[in-house]
């Protein structure tokens, strides 16, 4: 699936997506076939290698933070400081810190090392530093991987049906509204998900990642949810202390703004990996784990692929083998492509174009193949208007 895809000539009065749809039938290969295609060393986790990536990211962030002490030097014009230096720092630091987020996310998958206690310790420390409740997210994210593409049980960016469209979806019908929608999603989408389970599956009661008794978690997980909360309290207290020493404005410029960049990338990456006109979603009777895992698409973020440790351009392999460390994911992706054939989906559309298109075109899901009522496809609100008008 390259940029633009192979356009299909629409029938009279029918709008067909510009992308050919991914196969939705049960694939002619198994997970075992895919695993055998991957060199065995790709599944090996190296504690030293993983720590080297983490240390490199932390060193870059530390150097960037140290450099900010010169941004407001008397010899630096204020316009240069606030229109060039600080925005560059926020963008670069936030991008590298997203890499730290990705490594901590690997800890939740036990892909950082062979030692569970090391994985959870590293994940707890660095996810907490980014104000992420490590264990809480680990549990809900694990269920996302277990139920990807399931309309009943997936945990994030579950698309609505035509009869359950959110009221604010009307914003996607015009350019200014799409800009407002995207801005809110990128800046507030992550805390909204953690606090209210926005875009997630429906639960009975208040689904919240900070409440141990939330319906997201079972009883055996509640203690560790509390541990996540206590770790966040410690980090917030540390930030409060720093703000008292250096001021709130300093804290926002050095820490807060880059964190907003991290949160924006997290939401954008997750949204674009699982939202695409060519990807199917499944009802319970049609869903199975392998087809669900394949209902994702690799995206190209250019040089940011390196900063983000290739979480976006190897996401298909990640969903198939989530305990594989990121530094083997590119090799594994190339190895499974011949086996996957048309089941492998990649879109090289520039990210800024893709997010604008997906917000416009992917508003709800609907089954449109009579022989496959349990396979649903992304539709736009304009599709719904045209359908009602016929």
């Amino acid at each position: 699936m390259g940029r633009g895809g192979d356009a299909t000539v629409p029938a009279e009065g029918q709008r067909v997506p510009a992308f050919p749809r991914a196969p939705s039938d049960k694939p002619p290969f198994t997970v075992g076939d895919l695993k055998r295609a991957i060199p065995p060393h790709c599944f090996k986790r190296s504690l030293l290698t993983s720590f080297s990536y983490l240390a490199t990211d932390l060193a870059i962030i530390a150097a960037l933070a140290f450099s900010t002490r010169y941004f407001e030097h008397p010899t630096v014009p204020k316009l240069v400081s606030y229109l060039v230096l600080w925005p560059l720092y926020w963008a670069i630091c936030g991008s590298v810190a997203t890499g730290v987020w990705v490594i901590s996310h690997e800890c939740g998958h036990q892909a950082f090392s062979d030692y569970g206690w090391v994985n959870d310790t590293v994940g707890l420390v660095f996810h907490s530093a980014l104000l992420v409740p490590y264990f809480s997210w680990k549990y809900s994210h694990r269920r996302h991987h277990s139920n990807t593409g399931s309309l009943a049980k997936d945990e994030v960016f579950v698309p609505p049906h035509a009869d359950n469209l959110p009221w604010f979806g009307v914003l996607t019908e015009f350019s200014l509204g799409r800009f407002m929608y995207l801005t809110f999603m990128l800046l507030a989408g992550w805390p909204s998900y953690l606090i209210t389970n926005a875009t997630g599956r429906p639960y009975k009661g208040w689904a919240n990642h900070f409440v141990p008794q939330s319906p997201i978690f079972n009883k055996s997980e509640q203690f560790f949810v509390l541990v996540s909360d206590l770790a966040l309290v410690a980090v917030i207290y540390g930030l409060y202390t720093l703000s008292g020493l250096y001021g709130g404005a300093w804290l926002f410029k050095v820490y807060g703004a880059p964190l907003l960049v991290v949160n924006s990338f997290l939401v954008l990456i997750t949204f674009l990996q699982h939202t695409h006109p060519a990807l199917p979603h499944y009802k319970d009777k049609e869903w199975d784990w392998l087809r669900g895992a394949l209902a994702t698409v690799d995206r190209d973020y250019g040089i940011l692929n390196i900063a983000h440790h290739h979480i976006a351009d190897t996401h298909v392999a990640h969903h198939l083998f989530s305990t594989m460390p990121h530094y083997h994911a590119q090799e594994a992706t190339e190895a499974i492509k011949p086996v996957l054939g048309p089941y492998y989906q990649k879109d090289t559309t520039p990210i800024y174009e893709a997010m604008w298109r997906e917000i416009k075109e992917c508003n709800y899901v609907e089954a449109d193949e009579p022989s496959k009522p349990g396979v649903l496809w992304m539709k736009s609100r304009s599709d719904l208007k045209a359908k009602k008008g016929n």
Side-chain angles (χ1 to χ4, degrees):
M1 187 205 311
R3 181 184 174 189
D6 297 324
T8 305
V9 178
E12 185 177 355
Q14 181 183 12
R15 191 177 67 85
V16 176
F19 288 92
R21 287 176 170 176
S24 60
D25 294 325
K26 290 189 176 183
F29 50 80
T30 65
V31 177
D33 295 330
L34 295 169
K35 188 171 184 179
R36 284 187 289 271
I38 298 172
H41 72 265
C42 289
F43 295 98
K44 293 182 179 179
R45 298 163 290 194
S46 166
L47 186 62
L48 180 61
T49 302
S50 294
F51 265 119
S52 71
Y53 278 98
L54 177 59
T56 300
D57 287 347
L58 295 177
I60 294 171
I61 291 170
L64 289 167
F66 180 81
S67 72
T68 62
R69 65 188 302 177
Y70 302 105
F71 287 5
E72 297 179 26
H73 191 273
T75 60
V76 179
K78 285 190 176 182
L79 284 178
V80 174
S81 176
Y82 285 95
L83 296 182
V84 179
L85 297 179
W86 279 113
L88 277 175
Y89 166 77
W90 297 333
I92 298 171
C93 188
S95 297
V96 178
T98 301
V100 174
W101 195 100
V102 171
I103 291 174
S104 301
H105 145 271
E106 285 203 333
C107 291
H109 285 295
Q110 305 301 304
F112 186 83
S113 76
D114 292 332
Y115 309 100
W117 70 270
V118 172
N119 298 332
D120 285 339
T121 301
V122 172
L124 179 63
V125 169
F126 291 101
H127 258 175
S128 298
L130 296 170
L131 299 185
V132 177
Y134 170 72
F135 286 107
S136 309
W137 175 87
K138 171 185 172 180
Y139 297 139
S140 66
H141 188 67
R142 181 175 62 194
R143 294 187 178 99
H144 161 60
H145 273 257
S146 298
N147 299 284
T148 308
S150 167
L151 288 168
K153 297 178 181 178
D154 201 352
E155 289 286 341
V156 64
F157 284 114
V158 181
H161 293 272
D163 58 356
N164 194 33
L165 286 173
W167 64 268
F168 51 83
V170 69
L171 293 172
T172 64
E173 296 184 28
F174 55 98
S175 296
L176 178 59
R178 285 193 288 276
F179 176 79
M180 294 167 59
Y181 192 106
L182 277 168
T183 300
F184 179 85
M185 184 180 82
L186 295 178
L187 295 180
W190 176 237
S192 296
Y193 171 67
L194 292 178
I195 297 170
T196 69
N197 199 42
T199 78
R201 57 170 284 192
Y203 282 98
K204 292 182 179 178
W206 182 25
N208 181 301
H209 280 74
F210 302 101
V211 178
Q213 291 75 29
S214 168
I216 298 173
F217 312 114
N218 59 47
K219 289 186 177 180
S220 66
E221 296 167 341
Q222 291 178 0
F223 171 77
F224 293 98
V225 174
L226 180 60
V227 170
S228 296
D229 292 345
L230 293 175
L232 289 178
V233 169
V235 170
I236 292 169
Y237 178 76
L239 294 173
Y240 172 77
T241 302
L242 284 173
S243 69
L245 292 172
Y246 300 103
W250 175 89
L251 184 64
F252 175 79
K253 288 185 288 187
V254 174
Y255 174 84
L259 184 64
L260 289 177
V261 174
V262 173
N263 291 350
S264 295
F265 272 130
L266 169 59
V267 171
L268 181 63
I269 290 169
T270 307
F271 172 69
L272 289 181
Q273 303 311 142
H274 301 288
T275 306
H276 195 284
L279 295 180
H281 287 75
Y282 301 97
K283 292 184 178 179
D284 265 355
K285 291 183 179 180
E286 191 73 32
W287 181 88
D288 62 65
W289 183 87
L290 181 54
R291 280 190 291 172
L294 293 172
T296 185
V297 56
D298 283 354
R299 301 277 191 172
D300 186 4
Y301 283 70
I303 194 172
L304 290 177
N305 290 333
I306 299 173
H308 297 168
H309 301 306
H310 298 282
I311 187 63
D313 60 322
T314 63
H315 208 75
V316 174
H318 172 64
H319 264 271
L320 292 167
F321 304 103
S322 59
T323 60
M324 180 189 297
H326 71 269
Y327 40 83
H328 294 314
Q330 287 177 286
E331 183 178 359
T333 295
E334 293 304 316
I336 61 177
K337 278 183 183 180
V339 182
L340 291 173
Y343 285 85
Y344 173 72
Q345 300 295 310
K346 182 173 183 177
D347 188 352
T348 58
T349 302
I351 295 303
Y352 66 91
E353 290 184 20
M355 65 179 183
W356 189 259
R357 181 191 66 209
E358 264 59 295
I359 284 292
K360 179 182 179 182
E361 299 292 334
C362 301
N363 305 138
Y364 71 99
V365 288
E366 183 180 62
D368 58 11
E369 300 177 51
S371 61
K372 298 179 181 179
V375 181
L376 288 75
W377 301 94
M378 286 288 190
K379 306 281 186 175
S380 71
R381 293 178 71 95
S382 60
D383 289 323
L384 185 60
K385 283 186 174 182
K387 181 180 178 181
K388 290 181 176 179
N390 290 336

